[in-house]
């Protein structure tokens, strides 16, 4: 193969160059270098972060996929999400409340240990449900809810074994990015969002996992209250310790 | 009539005492003395104010009441609102959007010079309308919208002659209260709301009119995003000049 470059005096072929470039790209991604540097202002860091508006959705465990969509069924990708490896599935289910139901709630993949339904307060009120603010279906505060799929019905029990809740606003970031910004999993930060209805959301939960990209998640009520759409950015305020 | 009290040495009867009490109550109301004193903290005033969540509604001019509900019809009181002289009417109309309609939108009284429909962004999206943030139907940014009543149909033209919009969050207060707090009509203040989703709403518009009681107005998206219900309070931040 033709030699195109040199490293430490040794000639490299196209394969070796490709590998080096891919490795460097991976490094940039892991380091969060695709997101802007924070700006130091008034003794704190201001970090511009893209905002994803989470429309009502649910996550399912493998057992519930089988009950709702049939034995042996696997979730199929509808479209990829901003976080790598996560996707909106083609599958939708009906979510049944006390006063009403919502016919189409999209499943997000991949599957999880517990099934969980994430609604906005507007939807909870429509359904006649009083839901807690929570982060995951394993939270004991989550409420029971019934799901209807084309092949079967499941009632999530709530109380820490899967259920319905209103998602606590949060920011995703990688372990590398968190170290770089001096924050850790579970920290609560302020988020300023400018626009027609400028707002500061307090207590944005930091969630850290290797490989995650910087991204704020709000729900549709929060997005509508602030007057923003998916993909706009906000300014995360990070105290300097 | 029996004499029950003395003023400046002169005996007062029950009628005179009643008149004095009523006059004093009126004075307290006008002065806004039924709302708590602001607290000075960190070089600014913090004022606790009750929050009213405005559900979608509309105001009508006399001409449109006649078209929608029939010639000679007058709005009838369904229930009184927190601000004296204002009421939710028994009358409701259908509001027609581009993709969908909302069958029941309540009329608030009394009638106004221009008709105006105030929706939350959630409802604007359902109807397929792109609405501005505004304060009144006379704002040129307001959009056309069609109203259907039991006796007729009206299309509001928008563009400053009545139309649909999303209400800018605002605080009502009397002229006396405004002077006392050192604010004026049109000022923009911050509002901190504590709770499960603590939030600071910036740019809350001050609206001043004699006789108004201190009251914040948010829409249902804002109420749901912050996780509060009608009647809770927030802390208005007033700069000291």
């Amino acid at each position: 193969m033709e030699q195109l470059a040199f490293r430490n005096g040794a000639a490299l072929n196209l394969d070796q160059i490709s590998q080096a470039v891919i490795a460097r790209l991976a490094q940039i991604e892991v380091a969060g270098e695709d997101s802007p540097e924070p700006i130091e202002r008034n003794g704190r860091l201001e970090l511009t972060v893209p905002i994803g508006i989470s429309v009502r959705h649910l996550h399912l465990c493998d057992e519930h996929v089988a009950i709702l969509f049939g034995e042996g069924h696997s979730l199929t990708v509808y479209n990829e999400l901003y976080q790598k490896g996560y996707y909106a599935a083609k599958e939708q289910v009906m979510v049944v409340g006390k006063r009403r139901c919502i016919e189409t709630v999209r499943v997000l993949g991949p599957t999880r240990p517990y099934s969980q339904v994430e609604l906005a307060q507007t939807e909870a009120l429509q359904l006649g449900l009083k839901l807690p603010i929570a982060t995951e279906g394993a939270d004991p505060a989550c409420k029971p809810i019934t799901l209807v799929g084309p092949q079967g019905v499941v009632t999530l029990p709530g109380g820490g074994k899967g259920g319905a809740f209103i998602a606590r606003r949060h920011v995703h970031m990688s372990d590398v990015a968190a170290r770089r910004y001096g924050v850790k999993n579970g920290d609560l930060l302020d988020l300023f969002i400018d626009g027609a209805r400028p707002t500061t959301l307090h207590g944005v939960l930091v969630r850290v996992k290797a490989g995650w990209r910087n991204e704020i998640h709000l729900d549709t009520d929060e997005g509508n209250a602030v007057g923003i759409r998916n993909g706009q950015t906000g300014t995360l305020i990070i105290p300097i310790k």
Side-chain angles (χ1 to χ4, degrees), chain A residues 167-184:
Chain A
R168 183 180 305 283
R169 50 209 185 201
H170 57 274
V171 54
H172 292 262
M173 54 178 72
S174 72
D175 50 345
V176 178
R179 268 199 303 279
R180 187 170 153 218
Y181 304 139
V183 301
K184 61 183 192 306

Side-chain angles (χ1 to χ4, degrees), chain A residues 152-232:
Chain A
V153 177
V154 163
T155 294
L156 309 184
K161 302 283 185 187
F165 61 94
I166 296 166
R168 183 180 305 283
R169 50 209 185 201
H170 57 274
V171 54
H172 292 262
M173 54 178 72
S174 72
D175 50 345
V176 178
R179 268 199 303 279
R180 187 170 153 218
Y181 304 139
V183 301
K184 61 183 192 306
N185 198 62
D187 279 359
L188 298 174
L189 302 176
D190 285 350
L191 173 70
F192 173 71
I193 306 172
D194 209 354
R197 294 176 132 180
T199 301
T200 299
L201 303 175
H202 306 289
V204 175
L205 180 71
V206 175
R207 299 179 65 182
V208 176
K209 194 171 179 178
W212 272 351
R213 304 168 74 181
N214 287 356
E215 186 189 22
I216 307 278
H217 274 174
L218 306 181
D219 71 14
T220 45
D221 281 343
E222 291 169 320
N224 289 335
V226 178
I228 55 165
R229 303 300 291 268
N230 208 28
Q232 285 187 235

